[in-house]
């Protein structure tokens, strides 16, 4: 009887090759399972795409970038009020500008699907100032405008900044008045004086006159004294 003797190195080579082949098959099988799972997840995501999109609130993302100075968030069921509300906001801006010379910036209206159907929220510089409950459905617009007006006045220091005061200075026709003012007061001082006048319901609409009178009292030691003197001239 003839006996074939297989070299040990050949047996070892076959063993290693078999192990490698099994390992490769395992990897390929795992990848196939992963692809099937991803495909199933993708189909599920596509199937629920509308529901998924409805849950996304891009306005919350925008908040982090400080894009809006003033923002009103409405619940989903009130999104059809946006056009009428914007018209009311234009009226409010005109009212504050005419009565106080206080021009509030544009207000952005958006929808927040996390809000309940009977509430809305007002933000100033990305910070929620207050979440309001709707009291009378037939007076929703008037209620929002009244609360917006209150917030704009109570938070004027966050809305009326140095750039706003500087713009008023730039618009003064007599530049010598501006020179006199800036010799005694900083732009921040002028900003604080104007804010205090508005807080006391004194109009700064007549910009040339306000700045001219302010330049007269600019050498007074405190801002309160300047405001007090201005009140007598502007009332």
């Amino acid at each position: 009887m003839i006996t074939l003797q297989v070299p040990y190195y050949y047996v070892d080579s076959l063993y290693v090759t078999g192990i490698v082949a099994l390992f490769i098959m395992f990897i390929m099988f795992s990848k196939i399972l992963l692809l099937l799972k991803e495909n199933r997840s993708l189909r599920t995501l596509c199937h629920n795409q509308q529901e998924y999109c409805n849950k996304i609130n891009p306005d919350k993302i925008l908040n982090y970038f400080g894009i809006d100075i003033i923002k009103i968030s409405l619940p989903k069921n009130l999104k059809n009020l946006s056009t009428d509300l914007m018209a009311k906001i234009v009226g409010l801006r005109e009212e504050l500008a005419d009565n106080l010379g206080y021009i509030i910036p544009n207000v952005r209206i958006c929808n927040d699907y996390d809000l309940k159907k009977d509430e809305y929220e007002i933000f100033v510089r990305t910070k929620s100032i207050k979440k309001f409950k709707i009291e009378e459905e037939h007076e929703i617009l008037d209620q929002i405008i009244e609360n917006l007006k209150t917030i704009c006045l109570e938070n004027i220091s966050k809305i009326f900044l140095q750039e706003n005061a500087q713009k008023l200075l730039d618009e003064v026709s007599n530049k010598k008045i501006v020179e006199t003012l800036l010799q005694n007061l900083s732009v921040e001082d002028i900003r604080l004086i104007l804010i205090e006048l508005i807080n006391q319901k004194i109009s700064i609409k007549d910009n040339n006159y306000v700045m001219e009178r302010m330049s007269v009292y600019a050498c007074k030691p405190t801002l309160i004294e300047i405001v007090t003197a201005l009140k007598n001239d502007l009332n």
Side-chain angles (χ1 to χ4, degrees):
M1 183 176 62
I2 300 174
T3 303
L4 294 176
Q5 187 174 3
V6 180
Y8 287 112
Y9 68 85
Y10 183 74
V11 174
D12 291 341
S13 177
L14 288 175
Y15 179 78
V16 171
T17 302
I19 294 296
V20 171
L22 287 173
F23 181 76
I24 293 173
M25 290 176 63
F26 175 79
I27 295 296
M28 292 178 64
F29 183 72
S30 298
K31 287 186 175 181
I32 291 172
L33 287 178
L34 182 60
L35 288 172
L36 289 174
K37 184 178 179 180
E38 289 178 351
N39 188 46
R40 185 164 56 250
S41 299
L42 182 60
R43 288 199 304 271
T44 302
L45 178 61
C46 292
H47 181 71
N48 297 323
Q49 184 179 18
Q50 188 60 46
E51 180 183 355
Y52 176 74
C53 291
N54 287 340
K55 290 182 179 179
I56 294 177
N57 188 350
D59 299 308
K60 290 186 175 180
I61 300 173
L62 292 176
N63 279 344
Y64 290 101
F65 295 92
I67 292 176
D68 306 300
I69 297 177
I70 304 173
K71 185 183 77 169
I72 300 175
S73 290
L74 300 176
K76 183 179 180 180
N77 60 298
L78 295 182
K79 63 182 180 180
N80 60 328
L81 294 180
S82 296
T83 302
D84 293 336
L85 179 56
M86 184 56 69
K88 289 273 190 180
I89 291 172
V90 171
L92 174 62
R93 296 183 77 219
E94 292 176 351
E95 175 191 335
L96 291 176
D98 287 340
N99 295 340
L100 294 173
Y102 174 30
I103 302 175
I104 64 173
N106 291 326
V107 178
R108 189 164 72 92
I109 303 171
C110 64
N111 297 116
D112 186 343
Y113 296 155
D114 292 333
L115 288 173
K116 297 177 182 178
K117 65 179 182 179
D118 62 341
E119 62 185 17
Y120 59 94
E121 195 168 9
I122 299 179
F123 295 78
V124 174
R125 296 196 179 278
T126 76
K127 181 180 179 181
S128 174
I129 302 301
K130 190 173 181 180
K131 190 177 289 186
F132 297 90
K133 287 283 186 180
I134 296 172
E135 298 169 0
E136 298 289 341
E137 289 191 9
H138 62 283
E139 297 179 355
I140 294 176
L141 293 177
D142 292 336
Q143 179 188 338
I144 294 175
I145 290 299
E146 190 60 34
N147 287 325
L148 176 62
K149 179 180 178 180
T150 300
I151 283 178
C152 286
L153 291 172
E154 290 180 349
N155 294 271
I156 185 173
S157 61
K158 299 176 183 176
I159 298 171
F160 189 87
L161 304 182
Q162 284 190 20
E163 62 187 70
N164 304 109
Q166 183 63 59
K167 184 177 180 181
L168 293 177
L169 287 171
D170 294 340
E171 293 174 354
V172 175
S173 56
N174 188 342
K175 300 306 177 185
K176 290 185 178 180
I177 291 175
V178 177
E179 290 177 9
T180 302
L181 276 170
L182 295 179
Q183 286 173 2
N184 297 279
L185 300 170
S186 66
V187 175
E188 175 64 10
D189 291 334
I190 295 170
R191 167 183 171 267
L192 294 175
I193 291 169
L194 295 173
I195 286 175
E196 185 57 30
L197 289 172
I198 293 173
N199 282 336
Q200 297 190 32
K201 303 298 186 291
I202 298 172
S203 176
I204 62 169
K205 184 178 180 180
D206 190 349
N207 185 42
N208 282 314
Y209 181 63
V210 171
M211 295 300 181
E212 190 272 332
R213 300 317 298 163
M214 192 186 301
S215 68
V216 172
Y217 306 120
C219 58
K220 287 185 176 292
T222 66
L223 298 185
I224 293 298
E225 290 180 77
I226 296 174
V227 171
T228 302
L230 279 171
K231 283 173 58 179
N232 295 328
D233 288 351
L234 300 178
N235 273 333

